[in-house]
Amino acid sequence: MTDKLKETFTKCKAEGRNAFVTFVTAGYPKPESTVGIMKGMEAGGVDIIELGLPFTDPIGDGPTIQSSNTIALENGVTTAQTLDLLRVARKAGLRIPVVLMGYYNPILMYGEEKFVKDAKEAGANGFIVVDFPPEEALKFRKFCTSEGMSYIPLVAPSTTESRLKLLASIADSFIYVISRMGTTGALGSLSSDLPALCARVRKYAGETPIAVGFGVSNREHFLSVGEIADGVVIGSKLVTIIGEAKLEDAPEAAKKFCSEICGRTGLESAAREVGINESIAKASATKEATPSEGDSKAELATNFLNGVVVEEEKSRKFPARFGVYGGQYVPESLFDCLVELERGFEEAVNDPTFWEEYRSYYPYMGRPSNLHAAPRLSEYAGGAKIWLKREDLNHTGSHKINNALGQILIARRLGKTEVIAETGAGQHGVATATVAAKFNMKCTIYMGAEDVRRQALNVFRMKLLGAQVVPVEAGTRTLRDAVNESFRAWVTNLSTTHLIIGSAIGPHPYPTIVRTFQSVIGKETKEQFYQINKKLPDAVVACVGGGSNSVGMFYPFAEEKSVKLLGVEAAGEGIDTPRHSATITGGSVGVLHGVKTYVLQNEDGQISDTHSVSAGLDYPGVGPELSMWKDTGRAQFIAATDPQALEGFKLLSQLEGIIPALESSHAVYGAIQLAKTMTPDQDIVICLSGRGDKDVESVAEVLPKLGPQIGWDLRF
């Protein structure tokens, strides 16, 4: 199957033209139209088809491809059905090579080796996986090689020389060159740096063909790119053409557009095929590798890649993985920036002057935060003594300032001039906007449109601080979608911009960065509690969404085996329903937003919609270190429903005179349940991660529905 791709490029070269490669999402606009569209492409002169595997969270794609993914999934298209569509297309006479293109998580859920075997049987020729890190590419490529299938690497303008060498070494049919930074999408012009990029790639590619995509949308682009590449890829523009056509006219629209772009038809190609095949045979006779030579080349590439992976891990001061979790599952265009961030972070945390500067802002942040007992809450629980670590008293009203300040200081060291951030409840957005104002940096906050609605106070606070707030209308319009958009914005502006992720999620080094700056919570708790009680607490409790406050509280106690670590997730309307956000309690291992961890997903690897009364916990993933602690048993996790969280909110307000954030209210409820199982001589510390003024309106909104379930009625 790899040979078919090689033969196609050889054929095109013999004809004195470029290979024309097009993309369409399987099942778009309807499953029944996919085969006709593929046949239309072939009739329009296309040489290779990229058939997109639909995925809920394609962070490397622009609005057009995102929308086609969403529509395909709404049409019920699965990975297995995508392979079925390809089988039907082959039976209908489709002859040209087909490359399956998509993201790792659906392939992981299907089973990688099984996927390669089934794809081969269905008629695929190769694979492009957008978000593979080197170590995963190595494993997947072995499966491909054993089945004679091609693994096609992606190269971006930001790809370093060392990575270029690595990626070129594993290419066995062609290399996909991304023409510009950013996400997929048709543009009016091409990058002026493209010739230099192609020259860099050819330096390492040798005889391996290169195909250029991203931003190519018309015949002028096709001809221009064709002067410096062996193949030209068009995706978003064609998807737009297909989407604008009537359903029954989509195949003909695809054929017409493709023919206009390349100036030929598939019929012309078929008429000339006999003569061209003779040219291919002559070219192949001089450089055809024997099976043993092919195996030898694959082995050399594998050994080289193995060596690179080992050396990368050796050079790291902080491991990229927590057991099997973590990693860097991102589009190629983000790798170099993550390397820059990792080095900047490592240099900063090993520089005493950095920590001196960080601690110099403690008075501004309100650190150290207070630790004190909650006597009435303890009396109500009737067991262990409950203490509160008051992160809600920090500047901006939550623990989020700890991380936002640390990351913006790193951004300044890296020479960045602006910051972007994702936010759910708005606390991280407010903290980021705050530090951006203090350090005179442009700030853009991405926030799900539903969260914008239910956290209007924090939205106004961010705007008051000078930040631009961008409501995200895609998907569930919550934190997950805000994370998607923040990654897309970052990849477009890497040279000037730093993405301040607020949760312990994302690709390495983000989970470690967030843990490092949030560990001040647990360190202070440990010192303060010991100073008062001359011992350690028996348990520490924190709410768990993405995991920033919980990993910050837990990490300093991780080696203290006498201290129980309890995380409380959001059970929403119940973990036996689809409407919850209890990722660790109800999820499975997957890949989301650049990291392997527990996620909420269906059997096809599509990320599930989530729900929580708390915007800050309404997320389908969790930090990889928490996933590791779950597996090892070092931390335990429970889930509190919306009514139970509301009960925690009510109890702390009425018993201690402290209105907590709805996120923290989950921890309050969980701590009360834990305290009931313990004795009065034992102690629990709750990380009170945020204050609840932002949630008062939300509580008033849900109280008529949830209040009766806990006996709470505030009506006049």
Side-chain angles (χ1 to χ4, degrees):
M1 311 301 271
T2 297
D3 289 343
K4 184 68 173 175
L5 288 165
K6 292 178 180 177
E7 289 168 6
T8 298
F9 278 96
T10 304
K11 169 180 177 249
C12 293
K13 185 176 181 180
E15 288 184 349
R17 64 180 181 83
N18 299 105
F20 185 22
V21 185
T22 54
F23 173 92
V24 67
T25 304
Y28 175 82
K30 290 288 185 180
E32 57 267 28
S33 61
T34 297
V35 173
I37 289 169
M38 294 172 75
K39 293 275 288 177
M41 291 176 177
E42 182 178 45
V46 170
D47 298 292
I48 299 170
I49 293 174
E50 294 173 356
L51 185 60
L53 296 163
F55 183 48
T56 46
D57 295 76
I59 62 173
D61 289 298
T64 300
I65 306 298
Q66 291 176 49
S67 177
S68 71
N69 275 263
T70 300
I71 291 170
L73 291 169
E74 288 173 350
N75 291 334
V77 175
T78 65
T79 303
Q81 287 171 325
T82 298
L83 298 183
D84 286 340
L85 290 171
L86 178 53
R87 289 186 185 95
V88 174
R90 290 301 189 199
K91 288 179 181 177
L94 184 75
R95 297 168 303 162
I96 59 176
V98 174
V99 173
L100 295 172
M101 184 173 186
Y103 291 78
Y104 181 40
N105 199 55
I107 298 172
L108 176 65
M109 288 297 287
Y110 192 97
E112 294 162 80
E113 187 171 12
K114 176 176 167 47
F115 176 69
V116 172
K117 289 178 181 292
D118 289 356
K120 178 182 179 179
E121 179 272 326
N125 300 85
F127 307 93
I128 299 174
V129 185
V130 177
D131 55 348
F132 258 158
E135 63 273 19
E136 297 290 356
L138 173 61
K139 180 175 65 171
F140 188 75
R141 187 178 182 278
K142 287 180 181 178
F143 296 141
C144 294
T145 302
S146 67
E147 295 296 328
M149 301 283 277
S150 179
Y151 175 74
I152 298 142
L154 290 159
V155 168
S158 62
T159 302
T160 60
E161 297 296 307
S162 60
R163 281 190 65 81
L164 262 178
K165 184 179 179 182
L166 182 158
L167 294 168
S169 76
I170 62 175
D172 48 29
S173 59
F174 71 96
I175 298 171
Y176 189 133
V177 179
I178 299 168
S179 68
R180 58 179 172 80
M181 298 301 290
T183 56
T184 56
L187 294 177
S189 61
L190 295 170
S191 170
S192 60
D193 297 327
L194 186 54
L197 172 60
C198 289
R200 285 180 58 221
V201 177
R202 287 202 187 278
K203 175 182 174 183
Y204 298 100
E207 295 296 316
T208 304
I210 65 172
V212 173
F214 275 52
V216 181
S217 61
N218 56 44
R219 179 159 174 79
E220 181 184 352
H221 290 169
F222 180 83
L223 294 174
S224 297
V225 172
E227 294 178 3
I228 54 176
D230 305 294
V232 184
V233 186
I234 296 183
S236 294
K237 182 64 176 179
L238 180 53
V239 171
T240 299
I241 295 291
I242 291 168
E244 291 174 347
K246 291 181 179 178
L247 187 62
E248 62 271 20
D249 297 335
E252 185 60 31
K255 175 184 174 181
K256 181 174 181 291
F257 173 77
C258 293
S259 184
E260 289 172 351
I261 291 293
C262 68
R264 53 189 290 278
T265 67
L267 296 177
E268 292 171 2
S269 176
R272 300 180 58 194
E273 194 164 317
V274 174
I276 295 303
N277 281 343
E278 292 175 356
S279 299
I280 294 172
K282 289 179 182 178
S284 299
T286 61
K287 56 183 179 182
E288 183 79 19
T290 65
S292 61
E293 287 171 337
D295 292 343
S296 177
K297 182 180 178 183
E299 186 178 350
L300 286 171
T302 298
N303 290 340
F304 175 71
L305 184 55
N306 257 326
V308 170
V309 171
V310 170
E311 286 305 311
E312 280 186 357
E313 283 305 310
K314 282 183 178 178
S315 67
R316 287 191 162 113
K317 292 183 172 63
F318 298 97
R321 291 184 180 271
F322 305 92
V324 300
Y325 303 107
Q328 294 178 318
Y329 298 81
V330 294
E332 175 61 26
S333 50
L334 276 177
F335 268 105
D336 190 47
C337 195
L338 290 173
V339 170
E340 177 192 50
L341 176 59
E342 184 176 3
R343 288 173 181 164
F345 168 66
E346 289 177 351
E347 290 172 3
V349 297
N350 284 288
D351 181 356
T353 63
F354 172 81
W355 288 112
E356 288 173 12
E357 181 181 15
Y358 181 80
R359 286 189 289 269
S360 73
Y361 294 104
Y362 272 17
Y364 176 76
M365 299 161 67
R367 302 224 70 87
S369 63
N370 293 333
L371 173 74
H372 63 77
R376 294 196 64 210
L377 191 67
S378 301
E379 182 181 357
Y380 172 86
K385 186 175 182 180
I386 298 174
W387 300 71
L388 304 175
K389 178 59 174 169
R390 300 293 303 278
E391 293 297 297
D392 61 314
L393 296 180
N394 292 345
H395 182 40
T396 73
S398 80
H399 69 292
K400 294 294 187 180
I401 191 72
N402 306 328
N403 171 60
L405 178 68
Q407 286 204 45
I408 205 165
L409 292 179
I410 290 175
R412 291 173 74 213
R413 288 169 69 105
L414 293 173
K416 308 300 182 182
T417 57
E418 54 188 285
V419 293
I420 56 178
E422 90 302 337
T423 196
Q427 293 294 75
H428 175 58
V430 169
T432 301
T434 296
V435 295
K438 184 166 184 62
F439 293 104
N440 191 29
M441 295 178 76
K442 180 182 176 183
C443 180
T444 305
I445 307 294
Y446 292 87
M447 189 173 189
E450 170 61 17
D451 293 339
V452 168
R453 182 196 67 79
R454 57 181 173 176
Q455 294 293 334
L457 175 60
N458 272 344
V459 172
F460 191 62
R461 292 170 73 193
M462 287 182 262
K463 290 181 176 180
L464 279 175
L465 291 161
Q468 177 188 5
V469 180
V470 180
V472 178
E473 297 287 349
T476 56
R477 304 160 78 235
T478 56
L479 177 58
R480 157 188 161 199
D481 310 292
V483 175
N484 286 335
E485 288 304 315
S486 65
F487 271 115
R488 291 177 184 128
W490 189 35
V491 77
T492 307
N493 303 284
L494 292 176
S495 61
T496 60
T497 306
H498 173 62
L499 168 60
I500 301 181
I501 293 181
S503 293
I505 58 170
H508 178 75
Y510 276 107
T512 301
I513 290 175
V514 174
R515 181 197 72 194
T516 298
F517 293 124
Q518 293 296 1
S519 287
V520 66
I521 302 171
K523 289 176 182 175
E524 286 182 3
T525 299
K526 202 173 186 181
E527 294 168 2
Q528 291 168 328
F529 192 89
Y530 189 85
Q531 187 174 13
I532 297 170
N533 299 289
K534 299 299 182 280
K535 67 168 190 169
L536 295 177
D538 297 283
V540 291
V541 182
C543 63
V544 178
S548 58
N549 91 99
S550 52
V551 77
M553 174 61 103
F554 294 170
Y555 184 70
F557 291 99
E559 300 303 318
E560 305 290 352
K561 305 303 183 184
S562 66
V563 181
K564 182 183 181 71
L565 311 179
L566 180 66
V568 187
E569 297 188 290
E573 295 179 4
I575 58 173
D576 56 343
T577 77
R579 289 179 54 79
H580 68 85
S581 300
T583 304
I584 292 179
T585 307
S588 57
V589 178
V591 173
L592 174 65
H593 295 145
V595 61
K596 180 180 281 189
T597 186
Y598 277 91
V599 299
L600 292 172
Q601 59 189 326
N602 66 16
E603 64 279 359
D604 199 46
Q606 306 300 338
I607 306 305
S608 302
D609 294 342
T610 57
H611 162 78
S612 171
V613 69
S614 161
L617 303 185
D618 202 351
Y619 181 70
V622 70
E625 196 160 16
L626 294 171
S627 292
M628 180 187 73
W629 286 337
K630 186 263 187 186
D631 284 1
T632 62
R634 180 61 193 96
Q636 282 75 51
F637 297 88
I638 61 173
T641 64
D642 288 347
Q644 289 168 341
L646 205 61
E647 185 175 347
F649 183 90
K650 169 192 173 184
L651 290 171
L652 193 64
S653 298
Q654 296 186 352
L655 295 177
E656 297 292 343
I658 299 169
I659 301 175
L662 279 172
E663 293 80 16
S664 309
S665 300
H666 288 73
V668 172
Y669 178 84
I672 291 172
Q673 303 314 305
L674 177 61
K676 291 177 179 178
T677 68
M678 298 168 67
T679 58
D681 62 334
Q682 293 181 299
D683 299 273
I684 298 172
V685 179
I686 302 172
C687 179
L688 200 61
S689 58
R691 68 182 186 227
D693 50 341
K694 68 179 179 64
D695 292 319
V696 169
E697 189 174 340
S698 293
V699 170
E701 184 179 311
V702 301
L703 203 54
K705 176 184 176 182
L706 301 182
Q709 297 181 44
I710 59 171
W712 194 17
D713 186 355
L714 292 181
R715 290 174 297 180
F716 290 103

